[in-house]
Amino acid sequence: MPKPTFFNLPEAKRKAFLETALEEFAGRDYESASISQIVAKLKIAKGSFYQYFEDKRDLYLYLIELAAQERIRFVKSLPPPDPQKSFFAYTEWLLEMGVRFTFEYPRLNQIIYRAMFGTLPFRDEMLQRMKESSQDYIRQVLMQGIAAGEIEPDLDLELVAYLLNLITNDFNNFLIKKLELDPQRLMEGDYSQLDLEAIRGVFTKAMEFVRYGLAKRRV
Amino acid sequence: MPKPTFFNLPEAKRKAFLETALEEFAGRDYESASISQIVAKLKIAKGSFYQYFEDKRDLYLYLIELAAQERIRFVKSLPPPDPQKSFFAYTEWLLEMGVRFTFEYPRLNQIIYRAMFGTLPFRDEMLQRMKESSQDYIRQVLMQGIAAGEIEPDLDLELVAYLLNLITNDFNNFLIKKLELDPQRLMEGDYSQLDLEAIRGVFTKAMEFVRYGLAKRRV
DNA sequence: ATAGAATATGACCAGTTAGTCACATGACCG
DNA sequence: CGGTCATGTGACTAACTGGTCATATTCTAT
């Protein structure tokens, strides 16, 4: 946890600090991310950093916690389609929200992605910080789908939740490849290249796979 | 490419070098992996390393190439089930081979995984080295499945190949969680904890999802 | 035995890192 | 004004990094 000093900081300074720290930790993995670089970019003294945080790891775990909270906040901020209507519409919406989050908060998304799939010297502490994991959330939604009779009840929920979570988290990588987007420009907040129609088309295709699998449809 | 000197090395020494280098690069990301650590473990002089390779990146790209080749060799070394019989049996076999490779060559697998999903200062050169990517291979197999009339022809092949590749590559992570395996012991080559029956059960469930998706089966 | 090439060595360099600490500055309060 | 406490500072440490290079050793072929 950050020291009290950090929270006493004028908001502008605190925001600027987080901005820069997120930038640093989003682009490189934990070991490579550099406190020295952060303070250099911010033009503050090295000592100041250690007034705000215990150490590097303290900052990193805080950033993860922040990113995870922000993602949950983001997903909850927009109303889902009528949940009663169709489980699959809901899942597609979830997928879409994941991608939108990626585009709107690319750095936060990177941090989460790294924390989930990367190497970390302290996975356990990290997982604690991401209490409400999206995987648990997906599992809940799946159970609702089963209750509503839309989903095959014989599925291994844990397995499917894992796979869906995996797909959701990695989907933007596919989009970037498929639509030949420039990740650099996206990272810099330039969305002019986004073709929302095309993206929605890919969503629909992805949902077809999730819904019916590969097998030839029986007509 | 390694310098000629490296290939002139007595086989035992060359193997030992690769062993140690793989260990180092499997465990940490590119920036964190340390040449100094490698030569220290091998008890050879720093200068010797630079007789074998141009630089760090030269070694890394070589390791990736090696790992990718080894994976292809491994998959091709065991005969698949009758390819004419069922596309899905074939795909399940492919998934199984992926997992078996993970268990038998955990370090090689880590390197490939890192190369595909991690951060890299030179993605392009890396992708060139992994010419025959498993994703292309999966796409071929899918096309055969369509030709055989087993697979829905309306699918977006590129998308599905991407998702299948993703699942195959990450599946062992799920297995480890699901079967509560100890990754540390696996890394050290201790497979006594493996329950092949249980693993096969998870495969089957995963293939059900891949085959029919989430939707409730029509009976 | 000897020349010449191939290989091995480790001190050294310039650069980086996380973290510390004695001190300076600033803000608020009586 | 003075005093006290929070905040800011940057030189410094010890440890590390990738890479170089002059020198030493070992191998090979005559």
Side-chain angles (χ1 to χ4, degrees):
Chain A
M1 270 287 114
K3 297 181 179 176
T5 310
F6 181 67
F7 295 110
N8 293 340
L9 244 39
E11 179 156 337
K13 194 166 185 179
R14 216 184 62 243
K15 291 262 178 197
F17 180 91
L18 287 176
E19 224 19 56
T20 308
L22 285 169
E23 184 81 31
E24 179 70 14
F25 277 91
R28 355 190 73 71
D29 99 326
Y30 175 76
E31 313 246 15
S32 310
S34 156
I35 303 297
S36 297
Q37 293 295 330
I38 293 175
V39 298
K41 270 186 196 160
L42 286 166
K43 286 174 186 155
I44 64 174
K46 190 74 155 287
S48 291
F49 170 80
Y50 288 90
Q51 304 264 28
Y52 307 154
F53 294 88
E54 288 297 336
D55 50 24
K56 186 181 181 180
R57 155 211 177 108
D58 187 25
L59 167 62
Y60 182 56
L61 288 174
Y62 180 64
L63 291 181
I64 287 180
E65 196 175 357
L66 219 74
Q69 278 171 11
E70 198 59 27
R71 192 184 208 273
I72 290 167
R73 199 196 57 72
F74 179 80
V75 172
K76 286 188 175 163
S77 74
L78 289 172
D82 185 353
Q84 309 300 28
K85 208 171 180 185
S86 162
F87 161 79
F88 289 102
Y90 187 70
T91 307
E92 183 170 350
W93 173 82
L94 220 60
L95 182 63
E96 187 184 332
M97 291 307 283
V99 173
R100 283 174 67 169
F101 181 75
T102 303
F103 287 142
E104 297 195 29
Y105 301 92
R107 293 190 312 278
L108 295 184
N109 192 70
Q110 268 291 322
I111 298 243
I112 295 173
Y113 186 84
R114 235 175 249 288
M116 291 181 61
F117 303 109
T119 325
L120 228 73
F122 33 82
R123 287 203 78 83
D124 294 344
E125 288 97 316
M126 183 275 293
L127 287 170
Q128 268 191 326
R129 298 280 181 125
M130 293 182 67
K131 278 174 192 163
E132 259 189 87
S133 90
S134 52
Q135 200 169 323
D136 294 340
Y137 189 53
I138 289 177
R139 189 156 52 196
Q140 279 176 34
V141 175
L142 280 170
M143 284 172 70
Q144 284 170 29
I146 289 180
E150 281 191 282
I151 300 189
E152 174 61 31
D154 215 29
L155 285 168
D156 181 331
L157 273 197
E158 222 178 322
L159 169 64
V160 176
Y162 185 85
L163 295 180
L164 280 183
N165 187 43
L166 183 64
I167 291 173
T168 312
N169 272 288
D170 210 84
F171 198 74
N172 62 311
N173 287 339
F174 174 73
L175 270 182
I176 286 171
K177 251 185 66 177
K178 174 83 174 184
L179 304 180
E180 290 171 358
L181 307 177
D182 179 356
Q184 195 57 46
R185 279 167 61 200
L186 284 176
M187 276 298 232
E188 287 158 6
D190 172 8
Y191 305 135
S192 58
Q193 37 176 343
L194 287 190
D195 177 350
L196 293 175
E197 205 59 38
I199 291 180
R200 198 164 297 268
V202 183
F203 279 149
T204 308
K205 284 288 181 189
M207 283 313 294
E208 265 174 43
F209 168 62
V210 169
R211 188 166 193 168
Y212 299 117
L214 299 177
K216 193 161 187 179
R217 319 279 187 257
R218 295 176 257 173
V219 277
Chain B
M1 270 287 116
K3 297 181 179 176
T5 311
F6 181 67
F7 295 110
N8 293 340
L9 243 40
E11 179 157 336
K13 194 166 183 178
R14 216 184 62 243
K15 291 264 177 191
F17 180 92
L18 287 176
E19 231 6 65
T20 308
L22 284 170
E23 183 80 31
E24 179 70 14
F25 277 90
R28 357 190 70 72
D29 99 327
Y30 176 76
E31 314 246 15
S32 311
S34 157
I35 303 297
S36 299
Q37 292 296 328
I38 293 175
V39 299
K41 270 186 196 159
L42 286 166
K43 285 175 185 151
I44 63 173
K46 188 77 154 287
S48 291
F49 171 80
Y50 288 91
Q51 305 261 32
Y52 306 153
F53 294 89
E54 289 297 336
D55 49 23
K56 184 181 182 180
R57 153 211 178 106
D58 188 26
L59 167 62
Y60 181 58
L61 288 174
Y62 180 63
L63 291 181
I64 287 180
E65 197 175 356
L66 219 75
Q69 278 171 10
E70 198 59 27
R71 192 185 210 273
I72 289 167
R73 199 196 58 73
F74 178 81
V75 172
K76 286 188 174 162
S77 74
L78 289 172
D82 185 354
Q84 310 299 28
K85 208 171 180 185
S86 162
F87 161 78
F88 288 103
Y90 188 70
T91 307
E92 182 170 351
W93 172 82
L94 220 61
L95 180 64
E96 187 184 331
M97 291 307 283
V99 173
R100 282 174 67 168
F101 182 75
T102 303
F103 286 141
E104 297 195 28
Y105 302 91
R107 292 190 312 277
L108 295 185
N109 192 70
Q110 268 291 322
I111 298 243
I112 295 173
Y113 187 85
R114 234 175 250 288
M116 292 181 61
F117 302 109
T119 324
L120 227 73
F122 32 83
R123 287 203 78 82
D124 296 342
E125 288 98 317
M126 183 275 294
L127 288 170
Q128 267 190 325
R129 299 279 181 126
M130 294 182 67
K131 278 174 190 162
E132 258 189 87
S133 90
S134 52
Q135 199 168 323
D136 295 340
Y137 189 53
I138 289 177
R139 189 155 53 199
Q140 279 177 35
V141 175
L142 281 171
M143 284 171 70
Q144 284 170 29
I146 289 180
E150 281 192 282
I151 301 189
E152 174 62 31
D154 214 29
L155 285 169
D156 181 332
L157 273 196
E158 220 178 324
L159 169 64
V160 176
Y162 185 86
L163 295 180
L164 280 183
N165 187 42
L166 183 65
I167 290 173
T168 311
N169 271 288
D170 210 85
F171 198 73
N172 63 312
N173 287 339
F174 174 72
L175 270 182
I176 285 170
K177 250 185 68 177
K178 174 82 173 182
L179 303 180
E180 289 171 356
L181 307 177
D182 180 354
Q184 194 56 44
R185 279 167 60 198
L186 285 176
M187 277 299 230
E188 288 158 6
D190 171 8
Y191 304 135
S192 57
Q193 36 177 343
L194 287 190
D195 176 351
L196 293 175
E197 204 58 38
I199 291 180
R200 198 163 296 269
V202 183
F203 280 149
T204 308
K205 284 289 182 187
M207 283 312 295
E208 265 174 44
F209 167 63
V210 169
R211 190 167 194 167
Y212 298 117
L214 299 178
K216 193 162 188 177
R217 320 277 188 262
R218 297 177 254 173
V219 277

mmCIF file of all heavy atoms in Angstrom, chain B residues 5 8 13 45 47-48 51-52, chain C residues 6-13:
data_model
loop_
_atom_site.group_PDB
_atom_site.id
_atom_site.type_symbol
_atom_site.label_atom_id
_atom_site.label_comp_id
_atom_site.label_asym_id
_atom_site.label_seq_id
_atom_site.Cartn_x
_atom_site.Cartn_y
_atom_site.Cartn_z
ATOM 1 N N THR B 5 32.363 -21.193 -34.104
ATOM 2 C CA THR B 5 32.972 -21.714 -32.882
ATOM 3 C C THR B 5 31.993 -22.512 -32.034
ATOM 4 O O THR B 5 32.338 -23.541 -31.462
ATOM 5 C CB THR B 5 33.522 -20.541 -32.035
ATOM 6 O OG1 THR B 5 34.297 -19.700 -32.877
ATOM 7 C CG2 THR B 5 34.354 -21.051 -30.893
ATOM 8 N N ASN B 8 31.556 -25.917 -33.363
ATOM 9 C CA ASN B 8 32.778 -26.721 -33.231
ATOM 10 C C ASN B 8 32.935 -27.279 -31.823
ATOM 11 O O ASN B 8 33.775 -28.164 -31.593
ATOM 12 C CB ASN B 8 34.010 -25.874 -33.569
ATOM 13 C CG ASN B 8 34.034 -25.474 -35.031
ATOM 14 O OD1 ASN B 8 33.369 -26.113 -35.859
ATOM 15 N ND2 ASN B 8 34.764 -24.427 -35.345
ATOM 16 N N LYS B 13 29.701 -30.068 -24.181
ATOM 17 C CA LYS B 13 29.782 -28.670 -23.762
ATOM 18 C C LYS B 13 28.665 -27.849 -24.413
ATOM 19 O O LYS B 13 28.061 -26.990 -23.770
ATOM 20 C CB LYS B 13 31.156 -28.113 -24.155
ATOM 21 C CG LYS B 13 31.478 -26.795 -23.467
ATOM 22 C CD LYS B 13 32.952 -26.437 -23.604
ATOM 23 C CE LYS B 13 33.261 -25.157 -22.834
ATOM 24 N NZ LYS B 13 34.686 -24.796 -22.906
ATOM 25 N N ALA B 45 34.185 -18.275 -18.982
ATOM 26 C CA ALA B 45 34.463 -16.842 -18.958
ATOM 27 C C ALA B 45 33.428 -16.101 -19.800
ATOM 28 O O ALA B 45 32.888 -16.643 -20.773
ATOM 29 C CB ALA B 45 35.849 -16.569 -19.482
ATOM 30 N N GLY B 47 33.929 -13.813 -21.832
ATOM 31 C CA GLY B 47 34.428 -13.702 -23.198
ATOM 32 C C GLY B 47 34.093 -14.916 -24.056
ATOM 33 O O GLY B 47 33.872 -14.790 -25.266
ATOM 34 N N SER B 48 34.028 -16.080 -23.438
ATOM 35 C CA SER B 48 33.728 -17.293 -24.197
ATOM 36 C C SER B 48 32.349 -17.179 -24.846
ATOM 37 O O SER B 48 32.166 -17.579 -25.997
ATOM 38 C CB SER B 48 33.770 -18.515 -23.281
ATOM 39 O OG SER B 48 35.096 -18.754 -22.882
ATOM 40 N N GLN B 51 32.424 -15.624 -28.009
ATOM 41 C CA GLN B 51 33.032 -16.427 -29.074
ATOM 42 C C GLN B 51 31.949 -17.272 -29.750
ATOM 43 O O GLN B 51 32.118 -17.700 -30.893
ATOM 44 C CB GLN B 51 34.095 -17.365 -28.503
ATOM 45 C CG GLN B 51 35.171 -16.660 -27.698
ATOM 46 C CD GLN B 51 36.430 -16.433 -28.514
ATOM 47 O OE1 GLN B 51 36.358 -16.229 -29.726
ATOM 48 N NE2 GLN B 51 37.563 -16.454 -27.845
ATOM 49 N N TYR B 52 30.888 -17.542 -29.011
ATOM 50 C CA TYR B 52 29.847 -18.441 -29.520
ATOM 51 C C TYR B 52 28.738 -17.664 -30.233
ATOM 52 O O TYR B 52 28.200 -18.116 -31.231
ATOM 53 C CB TYR B 52 29.220 -19.242 -28.384
ATOM 54 C CG TYR B 52 30.208 -20.000 -27.542
ATOM 55 C CD1 TYR B 52 29.918 -20.309 -26.211
ATOM 56 C CD2 TYR B 52 31.435 -20.419 -28.064
ATOM 57 C CE1 TYR B 52 30.811 -21.016 -25.430
ATOM 58 C CE2 TYR B 52 32.334 -21.118 -27.280
ATOM 59 C CZ TYR B 52 32.025 -21.410 -25.970
ATOM 60 O OH TYR B 52 32.907 -22.095 -25.192
ATOM 61 P P DA C 6 41.303 -20.315 -37.796
ATOM 62 O OP1 DA C 6 40.521 -20.931 -38.881
ATOM 63 O OP2 DA C 6 41.368 -18.836 -37.640
ATOM 64 O "O5'" DA C 6 40.794 -20.942 -36.415
ATOM 65 C "C5'" DA C 6 40.941 -22.344 -36.219
ATOM 66 C "C4'" DA C 6 40.714 -22.656 -34.757
ATOM 67 O "O4'" DA C 6 41.816 -22.131 -33.981
ATOM 68 C "C3'" DA C 6 39.437 -22.031 -34.176
ATOM 69 O "O3'" DA C 6 38.737 -23.061 -33.500
ATOM 70 C "C2'" DA C 6 39.963 -20.943 -33.228
ATOM 71 C "C1'" DA C 6 41.291 -21.529 -32.811
ATOM 72 N N9 DA C 6 42.299 -20.555 -32.370
ATOM 73 C C8 DA C 6 42.723 -19.429 -33.034
ATOM 74 N N7 DA C 6 43.659 -18.760 -32.402
ATOM 75 C C5 DA C 6 43.873 -19.495 -31.244
ATOM 76 C C6 DA C 6 44.753 -19.319 -30.150
ATOM 77 N N6 DA C 6 45.594 -18.303 -30.054
ATOM 78 N N1 DA C 6 44.704 -20.246 -29.163
ATOM 79 C C2 DA C 6 43.849 -21.270 -29.273
ATOM 80 N N3 DA C 6 42.986 -21.545 -30.252
ATOM 81 C C4 DA C 6 43.051 -20.614 -31.214
ATOM 82 P P DT C 7 37.327 -22.807 -32.889
ATOM 83 O OP1 DT C 7 36.620 -24.106 -32.925
ATOM 84 O OP2 DT C 7 36.735 -21.600 -33.483
ATOM 85 O "O5'" DT C 7 37.700 -22.498 -31.373
ATOM 86 C "C5'" DT C 7 38.319 -23.526 -30.598
ATOM 87 C "C4'" DT C 7 38.758 -22.960 -29.276
ATOM 88 O "O4'" DT C 7 39.701 -21.891 -29.472
ATOM 89 C "C3'" DT C 7 37.642 -22.369 -28.418
ATOM 90 O "O3'" DT C 7 37.572 -23.162 -27.258
ATOM 91 C "C2'" DT C 7 38.096 -20.936 -28.130
ATOM 92 C "C1'" DT C 7 39.602 -21.047 -28.358
ATOM 93 N N1 DT C 7 40.342 -19.807 -28.684
ATOM 94 C C2 DT C 7 41.367 -19.407 -27.860
ATOM 95 O O2 DT C 7 41.692 -20.020 -26.855
ATOM 96 N N3 DT C 7 42.006 -18.262 -28.244
ATOM 97 C C4 DT C 7 41.745 -17.493 -29.372
ATOM 98 O O4 DT C 7 42.395 -16.491 -29.618
ATOM 99 C C5 DT C 7 40.664 -17.969 -30.188
ATOM 100 C C7 DT C 7 40.270 -17.209 -31.427
ATOM 101 C C6 DT C 7 40.012 -19.086 -29.821
ATOM 102 P P DA C 8 36.504 -22.880 -26.152
ATOM 103 O OP1 DA C 8 36.122 -24.192 -25.584
ATOM 104 O OP2 DA C 8 35.486 -21.953 -26.695
ATOM 105 O "O5'" DA C 8 37.342 -22.110 -25.046
ATOM 106 C "C5'" DA C 8 38.458 -22.765 -24.454
ATOM 107 C "C4'" DA C 8 39.100 -21.828 -23.456
ATOM 108 O "O4'" DA C 8 39.737 -20.751 -24.172
ATOM 109 C "C3'" DA C 8 38.116 -21.176 -22.484
ATOM 110 O "O3'" DA C 8 38.604 -21.395 -21.168
ATOM 111 C "C2'" DA C 8 38.114 -19.699 -22.875
ATOM 112 C "C1'" DA C 8 39.493 -19.536 -23.500
ATOM 113 N N9 DA C 8 39.607 -18.489 -24.519
ATOM 114 C C8 DA C 8 38.882 -18.374 -25.679
ATOM 115 N N7 DA C 8 39.211 -17.334 -26.415
ATOM 116 C C5 DA C 8 40.225 -16.719 -25.679
ATOM 117 C C6 DA C 8 41.007 -15.565 -25.926
ATOM 118 N N6 DA C 8 40.875 -14.800 -27.013
ATOM 119 N N1 DA C 8 41.940 -15.236 -24.991
ATOM 120 C C2 DA C 8 42.068 -16.004 -23.914
ATOM 121 N N3 DA C 8 41.400 -17.122 -23.581
ATOM 122 C C4 DA C 8 40.489 -17.420 -24.520
ATOM 123 P P DT C 9 37.757 -20.871 -19.940
ATOM 124 O OP1 DT C 9 38.064 -21.767 -18.811
ATOM 125 O OP2 DT C 9 36.373 -20.613 -20.341
ATOM 126 O "O5'" DT C 9 38.460 -19.482 -19.665
ATOM 127 C "C5'" DT C 9 39.829 -19.473 -19.273
ATOM 128 C "C4'" DT C 9 40.279 -18.056 -19.074
ATOM 129 O "O4'" DT C 9 40.236 -17.367 -20.336
ATOM 130 C "C3'" DT C 9 39.371 -17.247 -18.142
ATOM 131 O "O3'" DT C 9 40.053 -17.042 -16.934
ATOM 132 C "C2'" DT C 9 39.084 -15.941 -18.901
ATOM 133 C "C1'" DT C 9 40.075 -15.996 -20.051
ATOM 134 N N1 DT C 9 39.607 -15.365 -21.316
ATOM 135 C C2 DT C 9 40.286 -14.262 -21.772
ATOM 136 O O2 DT C 9 41.245 -13.767 -21.197
ATOM 137 N N3 DT C 9 39.795 -13.736 -22.949
ATOM 138 C C4 DT C 9 38.712 -14.197 -23.687
ATOM 139 O O4 DT C 9 38.364 -13.656 -24.728
ATOM 140 C C5 DT C 9 38.057 -15.358 -23.140
ATOM 141 C C7 DT C 9 36.877 -15.950 -23.871
ATOM 142 C C6 DT C 9 38.525 -15.881 -21.994
ATOM 143 P P DG C 10 39.254 -17.153 -15.565
ATOM 144 O OP1 DG C 10 40.070 -17.951 -14.638
ATOM 145 O OP2 DG C 10 37.854 -17.509 -15.819
ATOM 146 O "O5'" DG C 10 39.296 -15.639 -15.098
ATOM 147 C "C5'" DG C 10 40.540 -14.952 -15.117
ATOM 148 C "C4'" DG C 10 40.285 -13.466 -15.296
ATOM 149 O "O4'" DG C 10 39.908 -13.208 -16.669
ATOM 150 C "C3'" DG C 10 39.139 -12.905 -14.449
ATOM 151 O "O3'" DG C 10 39.462 -11.582 -14.079
ATOM 152 C "C2'" DG C 10 37.978 -12.886 -15.434
ATOM 153 C "C1'" DG C 10 38.732 -12.419 -16.658
ATOM 154 N N9 DG C 10 38.030 -12.594 -17.913
ATOM 155 C C8 DG C 10 37.010 -13.480 -18.191
ATOM 156 N N7 DG C 10 36.581 -13.399 -19.428
ATOM 157 C C5 DG C 10 37.373 -12.412 -19.995
ATOM 158 C C6 DG C 10 37.363 -11.884 -21.308
ATOM 159 O O6 DG C 10 36.652 -12.212 -22.263
ATOM 160 N N1 DG C 10 38.324 -10.874 -21.467
ATOM 161 C C2 DG C 10 39.176 -10.448 -20.478
ATOM 162 N N2 DG C 10 40.021 -9.477 -20.817
ATOM 163 N N3 DG C 10 39.187 -10.931 -19.247
ATOM 164 C C4 DG C 10 38.264 -11.904 -19.082
ATOM 165 P P DA C 11 39.651 -11.197 -12.610
ATOM 166 O OP1 DA C 11 40.610 -12.144 -12.023
ATOM 167 O OP2 DA C 11 38.304 -11.011 -12.016
ATOM 168 O "O5'" DA C 11 40.353 -9.779 -12.745
ATOM 169 C "C5'" DA C 11 41.594 -9.671 -13.425
ATOM 170 C "C4'" DA C 11 41.602 -8.448 -14.344
ATOM 171 O "O4'" DA C 11 40.787 -8.708 -15.529
ATOM 172 C "C3'" DA C 11 41.024 -7.175 -13.715
ATOM 173 O "O3'" DA C 11 41.832 -6.088 -14.143
ATOM 174 C "C2'" DA C 11 39.610 -7.102 -14.274
ATOM 175 C "C1'" DA C 11 39.799 -7.695 -15.672
ATOM 176 N N9 DA C 11 38.617 -8.331 -16.243
ATOM 177 C C8 DA C 11 37.798 -9.244 -15.633
ATOM 178 N N7 DA C 11 36.817 -9.667 -16.392
ATOM 179 C C5 DA C 11 37.002 -8.971 -17.587
ATOM 180 C C6 DA C 11 36.293 -8.974 -18.795
ATOM 181 N N6 DA C 11 35.218 -9.731 -19.022
ATOM 182 N N1 DA C 11 36.736 -8.160 -19.788
ATOM 183 C C2 DA C 11 37.820 -7.414 -19.563
ATOM 184 N N3 DA C 11 38.581 -7.328 -18.468
ATOM 185 C C4 DA C 11 38.107 -8.143 -17.509
ATOM 186 P P DC C 12 41.581 -4.618 -13.549
ATOM 187 O OP1 DC C 12 42.886 -3.939 -13.604
ATOM 188 O OP2 DC C 12 40.826 -4.724 -12.269
ATOM 189 O "O5'" DC C 12 40.623 -3.941 -14.634
ATOM 190 C "C5'" DC C 12 41.053 -3.883 -16.006
ATOM 191 C "C4'" DC C 12 39.916 -3.388 -16.853
ATOM 192 O "O4'" DC C 12 38.962 -4.450 -17.067
ATOM 193 C "C3'" DC C 12 39.125 -2.210 -16.242
ATOM 194 O "O3'" DC C 12 39.317 -1.066 -17.054
ATOM 195 C "C2'" DC C 12 37.677 -2.692 -16.243
ATOM 196 C "C1'" DC C 12 37.701 -3.853 -17.238
ATOM 197 N N1 DC C 12 36.654 -4.888 -16.993
ATOM 198 C C2 DC C 12 35.773 -5.221 -18.028
ATOM 199 O O2 DC C 12 35.895 -4.662 -19.117
ATOM 200 N N3 DC C 12 34.814 -6.161 -17.794
ATOM 201 C C4 DC C 12 34.714 -6.738 -16.601
ATOM 202 N N4 DC C 12 33.755 -7.652 -16.437
ATOM 203 C C5 DC C 12 35.597 -6.407 -15.539
ATOM 204 C C6 DC C 12 36.537 -5.485 -15.767
ATOM 205 P P DC C 13 38.762 0.368 -16.562
ATOM 206 O OP1 DC C 13 39.762 1.393 -16.902
ATOM 207 O OP2 DC C 13 38.253 0.251 -15.173
ATOM 208 O "O5'" DC C 13 37.515 0.542 -17.540
ATOM 209 C "C5'" DC C 13 37.663 0.279 -18.940
ATOM 210 C "C4'" DC C 13 36.343 0.547 -19.625
ATOM 211 O "O4'" DC C 13 35.509 -0.631 -19.535
ATOM 212 C "C3'" DC C 13 35.558 1.694 -18.980
ATOM 213 O "O3'" DC C 13 35.120 2.603 -19.972
ATOM 214 C "C2'" DC C 13 34.397 1.001 -18.271
ATOM 215 C "C1'" DC C 13 34.221 -0.276 -19.084
ATOM 216 N N1 DC C 13 33.676 -1.413 -18.292
ATOM 217 C C2 DC C 13 32.588 -2.133 -18.797
ATOM 218 O O2 DC C 13 32.095 -1.813 -19.875
ATOM 219 N N3 DC C 13 32.095 -3.170 -18.060
ATOM 220 C C4 DC C 13 32.658 -3.486 -16.890
ATOM 221 N N4 DC C 13 32.149 -4.505 -16.209
ATOM 222 C C5 DC C 13 33.760 -2.750 -16.363
ATOM 223 C C6 DC C 13 34.231 -1.734 -17.091
#
